[in-house]
Amino acid sequence: MATQDFKPLVIRKKKAAPKTTAKPTESKEQQVNRARQQGSEVETVKKYNAGTNKTNSVDTRKIDRIAEDNDAALHIPRVSHNLSLQIQQARTAKGLTQKQLAVLINEKTTVVNDYENSRAIPNGQIITKLQRALDCTFDRN
């Protein structure tokens, strides 16, 4: 028992960081307002689409609203059958699966599947990615 050490081990917390003038329960808007009242120069920037992972900017609520107002069938543009066949033929000519092509263009497999089955809403960026990955150009008719 001579090898045991019974001396107390004291672990201390780090010293707390100096407190800021902002109260922890204040919202960002309240903090900005207090800074303005104190005479500080404040610049705020509203970021568009910050913190989202959206690749398509179609506003479905707007489309639904237009469809309800017109009481008519709303035509949503889809990828043409000709383009979907061109994509499929180019992919098979390169010997790629849909999953491999999706990895090459940094999109989900469902995106490639939708383009090949004429279900996708055309997006120029995705079509350009497909053209680069497959080393060909498509007729968009």
Side-chain angles (χ1 to χ4, degrees):
M1 294 256 212
T3 60
Q4 291 183 352
D5 186 14
F6 288 105
K7 294 179 185 175
L9 177 63
V10 179
I11 299 175
R12 295 194 177 126
K13 292 182 179 179
K14 292 181 180 179
K15 291 184 179 180
K19 293 187 177 181
T20 60
T21 58
K23 297 177 184 174
T25 58
E26 283 186 332
S27 68
K28 296 279 184 192
E29 188 175 326
Q30 291 171 334
Q31 292 174 9
V32 169
N33 286 337
R34 186 172 354 88
R36 286 182 180 149
Q37 289 169 354
Q38 292 174 352
S40 301
E41 224 176 277
V42 178
E43 180 181 347
T44 57
V45 178
K46 177 82 172 168
K47 293 184 179 180
Y48 177 74
N49 247 2
T52 62
N53 193 17
K54 294 181 180 179
T55 57
N56 202 353
S57 61
V58 176
D59 188 4
T60 55
R61 290 176 296 183
K62 183 177 179 183
I63 292 173
D64 290 341
R65 201 175 326 116
I66 291 171
E68 288 174 4
D69 291 343
N70 293 340
D71 290 334
L74 181 65
H75 175 70
I76 299 174
R78 303 279 183 202
V79 173
S80 68
H81 183 67
N82 185 27
L83 178 61
S84 65
L85 286 176
Q86 290 176 26
I87 294 169
Q88 190 173 16
Q89 289 170 354
R91 177 183 58 81
T92 54
K94 276 212 133 179
L96 297 172
T97 64
Q98 288 183 349
K99 185 174 183 177
Q100 291 169 335
L101 180 58
V103 169
L104 281 175
I105 64 170
N106 294 326
E107 294 290 339
K108 294 181 180 178
T109 309
T110 56
V111 172
V112 175
N113 190 329
D114 288 346
Y115 271 84
E116 288 188 3
N117 291 316
S118 300
R119 289 190 304 251
I121 298 172
N123 184 340
Q125 290 177 332
I126 295 176
I127 293 173
T128 304
K129 286 181 185 180
L130 288 167
Q131 288 175 344
R132 286 183 184 157
L134 298 171
D135 294 327
C136 63
T137 58
F138 302 129
D139 294 331
R140 297 185 188 190
N141 297 329

